[in-house]
Amino acid sequence: MASLAQSVPLHWQAKMLRALFALPTPVRRLLAGTPVRLDGQLLDVDAQLLLKMQKMTGTELHGTSVRQARASIRGGRELVGGPTIEPVTTKDLLLPNDIPARLYRPGELPDGSPLLVFFHGGGFVIGDIDSHDQLCRFLARNAGVRVLSVGYRLAPEDPFPAAVEDCLTAFKWAAAEATALGADPKLIALGGDSAGGNLAVVTALQVASGSARPVFLLLLYPTVDATTRRRSRELFAEGFFLTDAGMDWFMERYVPDPDVRPDPRVSPLLAEDLSGLPPTYLATAGFDPLRDEGELFARRVAEAGVPVVLRRHEGLIHGFASMTGLGHGFKEATLEAASALRTGLAIGRNGRPRRKAVNAEELNGYPVGSWLA
């Protein structure tokens, strides 16, 4: 099956895959197989079907070499992202220190719009501006914002703290040049998915006491702690796209020395003070090894008195925001994130919401999808 898939041109694979996911739900359920229930959750039929296709073709998020892994994510972009989202204009930029970036402007968005500075996922090793082009277009179009996507340096060629340094440089540049970019310098959000979510948090913490700070934080299934194995990592260690072995593979290249991993710039969950973060929307996937650390981070943010929305998409898997071209669940979850970004920035126009302290015990039965603080 793998050799057959490799012999079919990528654009034809994409067409066949989209046709498969356009079939009626009962047919997709039949093709996906017996429903998967784990930890009180039902795996979304489209997520299950995609995982079955992945298993049949033998593709993995990480590979035997960095080169193969990067090639895999580039190929996957066309397969799962769907047709290019229009109308969105783009402009490639080169930021200080030769950091590549791409600016997205949806439709005829006027000057003075909000701006999202976005850091792509990929375990700090794979992924780039192109691999997340569709997601940035999606957020720009559906949130009504300009998006600046940053191509930070990757490991193992440039291990920690290279990515951290690049993201901080990019945010400071964006804040200084916002008007020239057509954006409102007072309405800048930070966001990212997976490893990019980590870098968004780390950047926000580093500028928390500065004059230029983000007014909102958009986090999609972020990795926030490289020191502890939690229950979700054991439950979803294999078979749900991001694997336990894959997480080790990425971290060994990004931060080879385990003694460095407690650094809050690697593991922001361990930061002593999170009160400087802006209002936050954090989405997790139910069948994701990173689920529990992301949700614990949301609790810690709430305990610090920061308004935060935590949303668990129970039936979905890691990476769902890059899969909007397949099925309804992936797209609906990412639309919710875009709506949260739009709302958070609209609130940001009127200043930061009032903070209040939150008792940790009150969060034990938190209502998923509601404000924690």
Side-chain angles (χ1 to χ4, degrees):
M1 179 66 71
S3 60
L4 176 60
Q6 292 168 2
S7 68
V8 179
L10 198 60
H11 68 279
W12 281 110
Q13 291 185 47
K15 287 183 178 181
M16 290 187 290
L17 200 58
R18 286 196 285 272
L20 178 65
F21 279 82
L23 293 171
T25 300
V27 178
R28 300 200 313 279
R29 164 51 62 202
L30 183 64
L31 293 172
T34 304
V36 175
R37 298 180 184 274
L38 189 56
D39 198 31
Q41 305 171 137
L42 174 65
L43 183 62
D44 182 89
V45 62
D46 292 324
Q48 186 176 345
L49 184 57
L50 180 60
L51 291 171
K52 186 173 183 179
M53 296 298 101
Q54 180 194 25
K55 184 176 181 180
M56 291 174 64
T57 57
T59 56
E60 295 287 348
L61 189 60
H62 68 286
T64 56
S65 72
V66 171
R67 182 182 60 81
Q68 289 175 335
R70 290 173 181 168
S72 178
I73 195 172
R74 283 195 297 270
R77 168 199 169 196
E78 185 171 342
L79 289 176
V80 300
T84 300
I85 295 172
E86 300 291 359
V88 178
T89 59
T90 65
K91 181 180 181 181
D92 288 340
L93 303 170
L94 195 61
L95 310 190
N97 301 331
D98 293 329
I99 302 169
R102 182 172 296 159
L103 181 66
Y104 297 80
R105 177 191 176 194
E108 297 301 321
L109 190 68
D111 286 351
S113 74
L115 173 69
L116 170 67
V117 179
F118 184 84
F119 305 136
H120 66 79
F124 311 98
V125 176
I126 61 177
D128 54 28
I129 292 174
D130 288 334
S131 69
H132 284 64
D133 178 78
Q134 187 76 335
L135 174 54
C136 289
R137 289 174 177 272
F138 188 99
L139 293 173
R141 186 82 177 92
N142 290 288
V145 300
R146 284 172 166 81
V147 176
L148 182 71
S149 181
V150 178
Y152 55 86
R153 286 173 289 172
L154 299 176
E157 296 90 344
D158 295 290
F160 171 83
V164 171
E165 294 169 350
D166 285 357
C167 290
L168 179 59
T169 296
F171 177 79
K172 289 183 175 180
W173 180 89
E177 300 294 329
T179 302
L181 295 174
D184 184 340
K186 296 181 180 180
L187 289 176
I188 301 178
L190 268 172
D193 67 314
S194 194
N198 171 290
L199 293 167
V201 173
V202 170
T203 301
L205 288 172
Q206 290 183 103
V207 300
S209 59
S211 58
R213 297 180 295 168
V215 299
F216 191 74
L217 198 55
L218 179 71
L219 305 177
L220 304 174
Y221 35 85
T223 173
V224 290
D225 185 7
T227 68
T228 304
R229 299 176 62 87
R230 292 180 173 81
R231 181 168 171 269
S232 61
R233 182 158 175 175
E234 304 295 340
L235 282 173
F236 312 112
E238 295 182 12
F240 298 100
F241 189 59
L242 177 63
T243 66
D244 179 55
M247 292 172 67
D248 286 341
W249 187 85
F250 289 125
M251 190 52 59
E252 286 164 3
R253 283 151 183 79
Y254 181 52
V255 189
D257 184 356
D259 291 338
V260 178
R261 295 175 189 174
D263 187 322
R265 294 175 299 162
V266 177
S267 302
L269 179 63
L270 306 184
E272 292 184 4
D273 184 9
L274 298 175
S275 63
L277 292 177
T280 299
Y281 173 88
L282 192 155
T284 62
F287 288 79
D288 183 355
L290 293 175
R291 183 194 70 187
D292 289 357
E293 66 185 71
E295 293 179 0
L296 179 58
F297 182 76
R299 289 181 174 88
R300 280 216 56 213
V301 172
E303 289 167 3
V306 177
V308 56
V309 169
L310 170 61
R311 176 70 155 100
R312 180 195 293 184
H313 297 282
E314 287 195 349
L316 300 187
I317 57 177
H318 187 85
F320 65 74
S322 293
M323 304 169 182
T324 53
L326 302 178
H328 301 292
F330 305 132
K331 185 175 183 178
E332 289 173 358
T334 313
L335 276 172
E336 180 182 298
S339 297
L341 175 61
R342 181 191 288 269
T343 302
L345 286 166
I347 294 173
R349 290 183 184 275
N350 301 315
R352 293 182 60 152
R354 179 179 62 86
R355 294 181 181 178
K356 65 177 182 178
V358 178
N359 188 321
E361 294 180 357
E362 296 175 358
L363 299 178
N364 290 338
Y366 70 93
V368 174
S370 66
W371 286 95
L372 294 188

